[in-house]
Structure formats: C-alpha cells, structure tokens
Amino acid sequence: VIELLKSPNYNMLQKSTPDIYFAGNGISSDALTEIIAMIGERDFSVNVISKSGTTTEPAIAFRIFKELLEKKYGKEGARERIYATTDKAKGALKTLATKEGYETFVVPDDVGGRYSVLTAVGLLPIAVSGIDIEKLMQGAAQEREEALSKGLESAEAQYAMSRQKLSDAGKHVEILAAYEPSFRFMAEAALRRVGRQGPDRHFPGLRRSHARPALHGAVYAGGQKNASGDGRLLRQGQNVDRRSVG
C-alpha cells in the first residue's frame, strides 16, 4: 500500500515522515546488517508484528533491534519506542508486551495474515508513511458496499465467474501483468490468494516477491519520538496525527 500510494522509492524521497524498513521476513544476517547500517545514528522505533510471537524470522529480528534500542536509549527509553501488533490475549509476544509495558495493537482473530493489511497489521506502518488511513478505510468500505449491492453484476463477481468458466474449460493459466512499479506486489497478492490453492493454478509471468513485510514488522527511522498519539487515534478510528513515528 505504501509503494502504491506513495512510491516504490519511498525511503529515498525527501519527506517529513520516517523511512520504513521491513525486517523479519527472512533469516539473512546480511539483510539485517544492511538495515542497521542504513539507519545509522538516526533515532528509530520498532513495530514487531507477530500473532504468536514464536515465528522464527520476526523473533530473531526483534531480538536484535530490541537490543539495539536498549543500548541506545536504555530500557525505559526503548520501551517507548517498541510497538507490538499481536494477539489480543495470548501468545509469547503478548506476554512479553504486557510484562515490558509495550504499546500494543491487535491482530484480529478472524482475519488471516494475508488479508490483514486493513487491520492494525498494515494500518500502523501505513499511517507512519503519512497516508490518511481513515480515507483508506472509507474507500475500502465504499468499494465493498458497491460490490455487494451490484451482486453478480459487480466487477468482482464477473471476474470470478469468468475465471471459473475458463478453468472448467481447461484454461488454467492466467497472467496478471502490471507495468507500473508501484503495482509490483499485486503479483505476490495474486499468488497468495489464488496461486497456492492447487498444483494446476499458476501465474506465469508474475513477479513474485519473497518478502512479506505486512506480516513481520517494520523499523521506523527518523521523525518524532513517540507514537502513542497515533496509536490511540488508530484504535478510535479518528483522524491520525500526521506527526511521524520514529
């Protein structure tokens, strides 16, 4: 969403919002070292995203950045810069967040990870980038209502029926091409939602990203110190303070 509504080169643009680096989607030490080097001596905060808190990749990354935060700001200062998006009541990360006093956001029980971009999982980093998440949610709700009101005449239903009819006719190959760099994660979204349903469903020609940033966490470098204001407004559904998190 950040790439689509802002720019694929978001971190390289001159802006008043923090840079956003996604970590915890792999176990590459080179990748983590590179992010640490890009942050340098700037102020930074961490949003760790994990429903259970036991997934290996984000757990490793979080331990590293937590240690860096505590070394830079002390344990009390680090506490104000760590935000945990996790289960509302249980899990290793929820237990740690409660014990340490981290501000928390909830991963809904009834929303799967690949569909969670319009929950706190995605909305917090999206808000950090300066995107108006209230308008984003209004647009999503409007599109949903329009699709439901049109029923079988909606573009979504027409696409689904056409696709099923072609599949029944033995045409199982579908190509989704996006020529705008800001749409590059559309291919990953298609693979996640459809491409893994069976061995006969493939998307040749799609660029597949190995990163899954919305599920694992983000590091915000630069900007203001405390995100508690954004957090409260996010929960209440009010306008998000455009002061940056960092």
Side-chain angles (χ1 to χ4, degrees):
V1 174
I2 295 171
E3 286 202 359
L4 180 62
L5 298 182
K6 287 289 187 176
S7 169
N9 303 309
Y10 169 81
N11 280 349
M12 292 183 283
L13 299 176
Q14 290 187 347
K15 54 192 179 299
S16 59
T17 52
D19 289 346
I20 300 175
Y21 301 102
F22 294 105
N25 43 35
I27 57 175
S28 168
S29 58
D30 287 345
L32 283 175
T33 301
E34 185 176 58
I35 292 175
I36 293 169
M38 287 189 291
I39 294 172
E41 297 301 317
R42 292 182 292 170
D43 289 330
F44 71 99
S45 296
V46 172
N47 172 209
V48 55
I49 306 171
S50 176
K51 188 169 181 62
S52 67
T54 58
T55 306
T56 301
E57 296 89 343
I60 292 173
F62 177 57
R63 288 189 183 99
I64 292 172
F65 284 106
K66 177 176 177 286
E67 182 178 339
L68 290 174
L69 282 169
E70 291 180 346
K71 183 178 179 180
K72 186 178 180 70
Y73 302 107
K75 196 170 182 65
E76 290 296 323
R79 179 181 293 119
E80 297 180 356
R81 292 178 171 273
I82 296 175
Y83 307 90
T85 306
T86 188
D87 190 90
K88 64 181 179 181
K90 62 182 184 300
L93 181 55
K94 174 60 177 176
T95 300
L96 177 65
T98 300
K99 176 183 176 182
E100 298 292 339
Y102 303 150
E103 184 166 5
T104 59
F105 300 87
V106 174
V107 180
D109 291 334
D110 57 349
V111 179
R114 68 190 62 182
Y115 303 105
S116 61
V117 67
L118 294 183
T119 71
V121 171
L123 290 176
L124 180 55
I126 290 170
V128 168
S129 76
I131 294 170
D132 189 328
I133 61 172
E134 187 174 62
K135 289 184 178 179
L136 180 67
M137 294 299 289
Q138 289 172 350
Q142 181 179 334
E143 180 61 29
R144 178 179 183 275
E145 290 303 318
E146 183 176 333
L148 291 174
S149 65
K150 290 184 177 180
L152 295 180
E153 297 302 317
S154 69
E156 293 83 357
Q158 290 290 315
Y159 168 72
M161 291 188 292
S162 298
R163 195 172 184 277
Q164 185 61 55
K165 187 171 184 179
L166 289 169
S167 180
D168 292 343
K171 302 181 185 300
H172 302 303
V173 176
E174 179 174 349
I175 298 175
L176 174 62
Y179 297 98
E180 285 291 338
S182 58
F183 279 85
R184 69 190 181 98
F185 280 111
M186 284 182 63
E188 172 71 5
L191 283 165
R192 285 183 161 277
R193 288 165 172 76
V194 183
R196 298 179 183 177
Q197 291 181 0
D200 61 333
R201 296 185 180 276
H202 304 288
F203 286 75
L206 294 185
R207 173 181 177 139
R208 178 174 178 176
S209 169
H210 294 287
R212 295 180 290 172
L215 300 181
H216 296 307
V219 178
Y220 310 130
Q224 300 293 323
K225 177 181 179 181
N226 200 313
S228 59
D230 278 350
R232 288 192 294 270
L233 292 173
L234 184 63
R235 291 195 187 92
Q236 297 169 4
Q238 300 174 4
N239 290 324
V240 174
D241 189 341
R242 287 182 175 272
R243 289 178 300 174
S244 304
V245 181

